[in-house]
Amino acid sequence: MIMKLKNVSLLLIAVVLIAMSCKDNSETIEITPEAFHASVDKTVEVMVHDIFSPPVASRVFVYPNIAAYEIIAQNDSTFHSLQGQISHLKAIPKADEAKNINYPLAALIAHIDLSKRLIFSEQRIETFRDSLYQIWEATNTAQFEASKAYGIQVADFIGDWMDKDNYNQTRTMSKFSIDPENEERWQPTPPAYMDGLEPHWGKIRPFVIDSSAQFKPLPPPVFSMNENSSFYKELKEVYDISNQITKEGDASEEVLIAQFWDCNPYVSVTRGHLMFAAKKITPGAHWIGITKIACKTEDADFNRTVFAYTKASIAIADAFISCWDEKYRSNLVRPETLINKYMDHEWKPILQTPPFPEYTSGHSVVSGAAATVLTNIFGDNFGFLDDTEVPYGLPIRSFSSFNAAAQEAAISRMYGGIHYRAAVEVGIGQGKNVGNLVNGRLRMVK
């Protein structure tokens, strides 16, 4: 479903709670948690419009969040700077205490500025930003200008650090080469038969994990089309589950779960002779949405909100690096390819198979990492209503905990017909390893 663009003016009225009285242009500019949520939401909206891949989307989240966090950590003794905790991150420039800097405002400006640099449709962010700038400047020109200058200074600093993460170099690396004669290796899948997505993402500089291979999982079951082999049994399980749950139609609980966690920005829709992309969020964006829900449920203040987004986005980013390293190492064929060849040439998975190798499941790894970190922040058995997918025509689902949501996200990939059981179960463990490392190494709250 193509997401309807939000009316910027209505968005600002609804979510940016800023004091508008400005008789003497000297009131303190109030920056609420809703203002930061609005900036994150705008970035997600633009990413969906621009059709960002799941790994690249995780990069779009993490750097703006870190920039904002480092600013608030400098002025709030509750939080530790990430300097040195992320080994390659140096101290951001110090704010001039003689200037009238509003730290939440500077943090929000840094977030908006870096987000704009990381997406394609910059004008959409600029329109959002300029509407806010007008309000802030009218409220307190001196405070706005000082905070803006510092926010941009920090954004420039984090931007320079960001540019050294090997992303630009991977843009020039070769496409992934397939081996059509080797049936155990990944092959492009219908309907678009896209090339392998981000084959060099394992070369991106990680944040907390020591390397992309730190949590290298056990290999998948040995490929074999022998009916008694573990691999064949897992393949047959995917086929049998799909056939069973589709007997009940779209109302089946398993089908609803698969659809809810689809989060595939590359779904191709064919109508007549035309093919176009149905725009959706990525799995990382879904968990960023859950972070928002948790913050609002807890009524977290501005600084704690920035902290939660930052820690979650670091775990998500490292989870993608870890997962993609394994995907292109094991390079395993998707169920759809083999089922169509050996079992049922007319069979289609409930979800469209994404364009990259099967093992491990990206949803499982990312969900395991994000749930582990969010549990550390908000506690276990933190119940919530997940309305992240409502803009895409899907209903709200309720969860008793972050881990329960992660388990459902993982199994949804089997229900959807795009992953074997091993990719799901091993993937959750791989993600939890990443999340536990983030929890153990980053001492963000004093």
Side-chain angles (χ1 to χ4, degrees):
M1 174 180 178
I2 299 177
M3 181 179 182
K4 294 182 180 179
L5 296 178
K6 298 178 180 177
N7 183 289
V8 174
S9 62
L10 292 178
L11 177 65
L12 297 177
I13 292 171
V15 299
V16 185
L17 307 179
I18 301 172
M20 289 298 296
S21 174
C22 53
K23 294 179 180 178
D24 58 0
N25 192 247
S26 62
E27 292 191 12
T28 297
I29 301 172
E30 181 187 358
I31 303 298
T32 69
E34 291 296 337
F36 200 81
H37 293 315
S39 182
V40 173
D41 287 347
K42 176 55 66 173
T43 303
V44 171
E45 177 191 322
V46 177
M47 285 196 305
V48 170
H49 175 271
D50 290 345
I51 315 181
F52 273 77
S53 71
V56 176
S58 72
R59 184 175 182 265
V60 176
F61 286 123
V62 68
Y63 286 108
N65 285 336
I66 290 175
Y69 176 82
E70 286 300 287
I71 291 174
I72 64 108
Q74 185 179 156
N75 192 54
D76 186 340
S77 60
T78 304
F79 299 101
H80 284 291
S81 168
L82 292 170
Q83 171 199 355
Q85 296 194 73
I86 297 175
S87 61
H88 40 81
L89 174 60
K90 308 302 181 184
I92 63 171
K94 292 292 184 183
D96 186 345
E97 295 183 359
K99 295 183 178 179
N100 183 23
I101 293 175
N102 180 323
Y103 286 88
L105 175 58
L108 181 54
I109 288 172
H111 184 274
I112 294 171
D113 186 77
L114 267 178
S115 297
K116 183 178 76 71
R117 302 183 196 190
L118 283 160
I119 48 82
F120 302 138
S121 301
E122 295 184 4
Q123 186 176 359
R124 292 171 179 264
I125 298 287
E126 290 170 355
T127 300
F128 171 77
R129 177 201 65 192
D130 292 347
S131 298
L132 293 171
Y133 277 10
Q134 290 177 6
I135 296 170
W136 294 332
E137 187 170 22
T139 303
N140 189 323
T141 301
Q143 187 178 79
F144 166 65
E145 292 296 344
S147 304
K148 175 185 173 185
Y150 183 58
I152 298 300
Q153 183 184 15
V154 172
D156 287 341
F157 179 88
I158 297 296
D160 289 342
W161 170 57
M162 174 183 73
D163 287 342
K164 299 179 178 66
D165 71 354
N166 211 34
Y167 174 79
N168 292 329
Q169 289 82 348
T170 62
R171 301 307 90 188
T172 64
M173 293 178 183
S174 61
K175 294 196 303 183
F176 182 64
S177 297
I178 64 170
D179 182 358
E181 302 303 318
N182 189 341
E183 64 179 1
E184 71 180 274
R185 301 306 181 196
W186 177 79
Q187 306 293 328
T189 50
Y193 296 94
M194 294 176 63
D195 291 331
L197 182 74
E198 296 294 344
H200 305 288
W201 200 256
K203 300 180 178 69
I204 297 293
R205 179 188 64 194
F207 294 87
V208 177
I209 57 177
D210 297 328
S211 72
S212 60
Q214 180 173 359
F215 295 115
K216 176 183 175 182
L218 293 172
V222 175
F223 179 86
S224 171
M225 294 307 292
N226 184 310
E227 293 184 5
N228 293 318
S229 70
S230 296
F231 180 85
Y232 185 89
K233 289 176 181 177
E234 289 203 3
L235 174 66
K236 185 68 162 48
E237 182 182 26
V238 173
Y239 181 62
D240 289 344
I241 287 175
S242 175
N243 288 338
Q244 178 61 41
I245 64 180
T246 52
K247 285 182 180 179
E248 302 175 36
D250 291 342
S252 157
E253 176 68 3
E254 293 86 355
V255 171
L256 292 174
I257 288 171
Q259 292 171 341
F260 184 79
W261 292 100
D262 186 11
C263 304
N264 180 4
Y266 287 93
V267 173
S268 299
V269 179
T270 302
R271 289 183 182 170
H273 298 290
L274 299 177
M275 179 179 288
F276 60 92
K279 298 180 180 181
K280 299 180 181 181
I281 60 172
T282 64
H286 192 133
W287 280 98
I288 289 294
I290 291 174
T291 304
K292 172 186 173 181
I293 292 166
C295 288
K296 297 184 77 168
T297 300
E298 189 194 64
D299 196 23
D301 65 15
F302 182 89
N303 288 1
R304 183 165 167 80
T305 295
V306 173
F307 152 68
Y309 275 122
T310 303
K311 192 171 184 181
S313 65
I314 289 170
I316 290 167
D318 271 0
F320 271 111
I321 292 169
S322 177
C323 181
W324 251 245
D325 178 67
E326 177 57 35
K327 278 187 178 295
Y328 286 96
R329 178 189 299 109
S330 52
N331 187 19
L332 186 61
V333 64
R334 290 278 185 169
E336 182 173 14
T337 303
L338 295 177
I339 291 172
N340 285 165
K341 183 175 181 179
Y342 288 101
M343 297 178 180
D344 183 348
H345 71 276
E346 294 184 348
W347 180 87
K348 292 181 180 180
I350 293 168
L351 303 180
Q352 193 171 113
T353 302
F356 35 83
E358 191 273 341
Y359 188 83
T360 47
S361 156
H363 273 60
S364 303
V365 179
V366 169
S367 297
T372 299
V373 164
L374 291 175
T375 298
N376 181 262
I377 296 171
F378 296 101
D380 204 355
N381 302 317
F382 186 99
F384 62 96
L385 296 175
D386 187 354
D387 62 357
T388 310
E389 300 290 337
V390 169
Y392 309 95
L394 297 170
I396 295 171
R397 291 188 68 83
S398 63
F399 298 100
S400 60
S401 68
F402 301 113
N403 287 323
Q407 290 293 337
E408 183 177 284
I411 198 64
S412 75
R413 314 312 276 168
M414 271 191 67
Y415 294 158
I418 60 177
H419 276 294
Y420 313 109
R421 182 173 292 278
V424 167
E425 294 180 348
V426 175
I428 275 283
Q430 184 181 355
K432 287 183 176 180
N433 285 336
V434 173
N436 284 327
L437 187 72
V438 171
N439 288 337
R441 286 194 177 175
L442 297 187
R443 302 298 181 185
M444 298 172 74
V445 180
K446 296 181 181 178

